[in-house]
Amino acid sequence: MRRRHGIATVSAFYALLTLATAAPPAQAAAQAPAQPNPVIFIHGRNADPGVWGRMQADFTAAGYPTDRLFGWSYDTAQSSNEVLAARLSAYVDDVLAQTHAAKADIVAHSLGSLPSRWYLEFGGGTAKTAHWVSLAGPNHGTQIAWLCALWDQGCKDMTPDSYVLSHLNQASETPGPTRYATWWSSCDEQITPAVSTELAGAANTRTAACLRHNDFLTDPTVSQGVRDFLATP
């Protein structure tokens, strides 16, 4: 009887040892998926963050927490380089502080591409931005901007060879470790020529569908493409 009792005791000891070493809580916690980068959506001229409602809904439906999605509001008649880039820098810092994230992702439409590019290239933004997306951005200017350039600084910044664009495009168009992507459509009536959106060194996508300028904000294929790009390491 004593021998059987001893064997049972040893067996129980090894069973407890196995349970103790199989899956420690610290190891299980370390394997939990990380939160996605916060995403900052930047609207275009004469718009506001509300234009991103459809795309943000797509993001939440795909699993993004609502507290990781942000919309930056700004006066589109102000200077991209002298005013807006610095304000965007402060906004990004605030988002990173709120979310405790190391970097953010930026998704810009139209004019929103220019202050965000200036922030990246001249404001230290590449150290804080993992991915940058330009949807129908006037990255090499748009001829139509001459129609309002005399009284609107945002329009002036969008004219071909403007002060802002000449400085942004004089060296690398995609500086730093940030990953860049653009989407453009030959049917875009606001960006002329439409191919102006493309940047050297970026993942440039011409949409299969004939999208007009504001269609980029609600097109499900573009939205999916943006999410896929933001998921790339």
Side-chain angles (χ1 to χ4, degrees), residues 26 48 52 55 71-72 85 125 148 159 165 171 195 197 207 218 226:
D48 59 54
W52 294 106
M55 189 172 291
W72 182 51
C148 52
T159 58
L165 289 173
V195 74
T197 297
T207 64
T218 57
V226 171

Side-chain angles (χ1 to χ4, degrees), residues 7 14 21 93 95 128 140 197 230:
I7 292 173
Y14 280 110
T21 58
D93 286 347
V95 167
K128 301 175 183 178
H140 292 93
T197 297
L230 298 187

Side-chain angles (χ1 to χ4, degrees), residues 54-74:
R54 170 65 181 272
M55 189 172 291
Q56 288 182 339
D58 291 344
F59 271 64
T60 55
Y64 268 77
T66 56
D67 61 1
R68 308 294 280 190
L69 304 178
F70 297 83
W72 182 51
S73 180
Y74 66 102

